[in-house]
Amino acid sequence: MSARSLSGLDLAEDYYHQVVQPITEEVVQGRPYAAALIGPGSEVQGFDTARSTDHAWGPRVMILLLSQDVPRVGQSLDQALSDALPDSFRGYPTRFSHPRAPDPAGHCVEVTDLARLSATILGFDPRSQVTQFDWLSTSWQRLREFTAGRVFHDAAGELTAARGRLAWYPPDPWAYVLACQWRRIAQEEPFVGRCLEGGDRVGARLVADRLSRDLIHLGMLMDRQYPPYSKWLGTAWHRVSAPDLRRRVDAAVEDADPFEAEGNLRDAYVAALRMHNTLGITALLDPTIRQFHDRPYFISDGDRVAAALRETITDAALRTRPLVGCIDQFVDSTDVLSHPGRCRDLLARDLPID
């Protein structure tokens, strides 16, 4: 936001404490609940700007009751909020059109429980054991939505515990996803040089951009951050704690000359290999690039990193699984990635995990 604007998260927190909390506590009568702002929305990620306020933006909060309290308390609370909430807060209307508040005339305080909310965002309930299938079938954007944002109150601790459980991949899924990301790079890293050798500058530029995107995803995964979808990828990328890799990848993206981009990609491979070595997951690997067979193209040989990572995986089924990756690494359709059910159906049908 600009210097004189209030962020969406700060607006939501103030709205909860000053307006929503007194109404809620009068209705719940001491029953534990949580209050938060998580899920979709640029403000949840801290990416909102003045432009964000032109639609689906304003004071909103989620109230999460215990599941057993929803039938008895939920309707009463929703009605009390509808009756008592002011028409505006801090100059912003409290009733506006939002995907999580389908009634444009209704208030934007969502009353639900953790089971329903997590089913909508994730496709599974993180209060129970999170399986390998759950990790690999849930898109990075949805994992990010659930773990970002802000919790204002959590008497029962359910929401805080669930968010902590999903804060980052456990060792085996993390090693697997990293291996698959290095595999993606290995599959195309010689192609920039080959396109240039054939006089195909457009093809070289396209491949360089694909590799740059894969390196950005890799850098974020190594920095233990779920990459967001494309609109916010560059913004999130520049918050990653990998200055050398960021500088090299940015140069490759910004340089219009594909020959220069290829040189910057070579430097980015070295930076990525060095960053990998700081993780301590595998034995130290030689962080230098090498020639692609006897051709004059220089690569990181990402397959060697993928192989080393795969050897660290203790779960036998995951260790032997093809290196196709999590849902984001083999699907590039918004209409799949934005629907948890489709992600889970696709993974279960085509790439089952034992």
Side-chain angles (χ1 to χ4, degrees), residues 33-209:
Y33 71 92
L37 184 59
I38 65 174
S42 58
E43 72 273 39
V44 174
Q45 307 294 325
F47 295 152
D48 50 330
T49 67
R51 175 64 65 196
S52 306
T53 64
D54 65 4
H55 75 287
W57 192 97
R60 63 185 183 96
V61 177
M62 296 170 174
I63 300 295
L64 306 182
L65 303 173
L66 296 181
S67 296
Q68 63 266 28
D69 289 336
V70 171
R72 292 179 296 163
V73 181
Q75 187 173 356
S76 298
L77 178 56
D78 185 70
Q79 187 61 55
L81 290 164
S82 183
D83 293 341
L85 288 173
D87 292 332
S88 66
F89 180 75
R90 295 282 185 93
Y92 294 100
T94 60
R95 292 163 173 82
F96 55 93
S97 179
H98 190 275
R100 296 203 64 85
D103 180 2
H107 63 78
C108 288
V109 179
E110 181 180 359
V111 180
T112 185
D113 62 16
L114 182 55
R116 290 177 176 85
L117 181 65
S118 57
T120 301
I121 298 176
L122 303 168
F124 66 92
D125 189 341
R127 292 177 301 176
S128 56
Q129 181 182 4
V130 182
T131 66
Q132 308 282 27
F133 179 83
D134 293 332
W135 283 114
L136 298 187
S137 64
T138 308
S139 71
W140 292 328
Q141 175 66 25
R142 290 308 181 103
L143 288 167
R144 190 178 179 104
E145 288 175 358
F146 191 81
T147 55
R150 195 177 296 170
V151 176
F152 313 132
H153 173 81
D154 188 11
E158 276 192 341
L159 177 59
T160 301
R163 281 162 53 89
R165 197 168 291 124
L166 296 181
W168 190 243
Y169 290 111
D172 274 1
W174 187 29
Y176 176 75
V177 170
L178 286 174
C180 295
Q181 197 62 28
W182 278 105
R183 174 66 172 154
R184 286 177 61 93
I185 291 168
Q187 289 169 334
E188 294 197 356
E189 56 184 339
F191 295 170
V192 180
R194 183 67 181 94
C195 288
L196 289 173
E197 189 178 54
D200 182 5
R201 293 173 63 91
V202 172
R205 181 71 262 177
L206 290 172
V207 176
D209 286 343

Side-chain angles (χ1 to χ4, degrees), residues 196 201-202 204-206 208-209 250-262 264:
L196 289 173
R201 293 173 63 91
V202 172
R205 181 71 262 177
L206 290 172
D209 286 343
D250 289 357
V253 172
E254 294 166 1
D255 202 316
D257 187 328
F259 286 94
E260 295 295 329
E262 184 193 23
N264 284 313

Side-chain angles (χ1 to χ4, degrees), residues 97-347:
S97 179
H98 190 275
R100 296 203 64 85
D103 180 2
H107 63 78
C108 288
V109 179
E110 181 180 359
V111 180
T112 185
D113 62 16
L114 182 55
R116 290 177 176 85
L117 181 65
S118 57
T120 301
I121 298 176
L122 303 168
F124 66 92
D125 189 341
R127 292 177 301 176
S128 56
Q129 181 182 4
V130 182
T131 66
Q132 308 282 27
F133 179 83
D134 293 332
W135 283 114
L136 298 187
S137 64
T138 308
S139 71
W140 292 328
Q141 175 66 25
R142 290 308 181 103
L143 288 167
R144 190 178 179 104
E145 288 175 358
F146 191 81
T147 55
R150 195 177 296 170
V151 176
F152 313 132
H153 173 81
D154 188 11
E158 276 192 341
L159 177 59
T160 301
R163 281 162 53 89
R165 197 168 291 124
L166 296 181
W168 190 243
Y169 290 111
D172 274 1
W174 187 29
Y176 176 75
V177 170
L178 286 174
C180 295
Q181 197 62 28
W182 278 105
R183 174 66 172 154
R184 286 177 61 93
I185 291 168
Q187 289 169 334
E188 294 197 356
E189 56 184 339
F191 295 170
V192 180
R194 183 67 181 94
C195 288
L196 289 173
E197 189 178 54
D200 182 5
R201 293 173 63 91
V202 172
R205 181 71 262 177
L206 290 172
V207 176
D209 286 343
R210 281 174 57 88
L211 285 164
S212 296
R213 185 171 183 259
D214 277 336
L215 283 164
I216 287 173
H217 283 163
L218 176 64
M220 294 197 70
L221 292 169
M222 289 195 290
D223 198 43
R224 298 173 177 83
Q225 294 191 39
Y226 301 118
Y229 72 113
S230 58
K231 179 169 68 171
W232 300 117
L233 182 59
T235 303
W237 168 237
H238 289 106
R239 299 180 183 180
V240 167
S241 301
D244 190 35
L245 181 58
R246 282 206 324 267
R247 183 169 60 254
R248 305 301 185 178
V249 173
D250 289 357
V253 172
E254 294 166 1
D255 202 316
D257 187 328
F259 286 94
E260 295 295 329
E262 184 193 23
N264 284 313
L265 281 174
R266 294 181 188 181
D267 292 338
Y269 299 147
V270 173
L273 289 165
R274 288 174 175 165
M275 187 174 179
H276 167 82
N277 281 338
T278 68
L279 301 178
I281 301 177
T282 71
L284 293 179
L285 300 175
D286 180 5
T288 58
I289 57 175
R290 63 272 319 273
Q291 192 169 338
F292 181 67
H293 302 300
D294 59 350
R295 296 186 176 187
Y297 323 136
F298 290 88
I299 62 171
S300 68
D301 189 12
D303 275 334
R304 67 190 169 108
V305 192
L309 284 161
R310 175 179 264 185
E311 288 302 311
T312 71
I313 299 173
T314 59
D315 181 272
L318 193 58
R319 187 172 62 250
T320 58
R321 188 172 185 263
L323 290 179
V324 292
C326 65
I327 192 71
D328 291 89
Q329 293 171 310
F330 71 90
V331 173
D332 192 21
S333 166
T334 299
D335 288 325
V336 172
L337 294 175
S338 60
H339 291 269
R342 293 175 186 170
C343 292
R344 294 174 75 84
D345 288 347
L346 181 61
L347 196 75

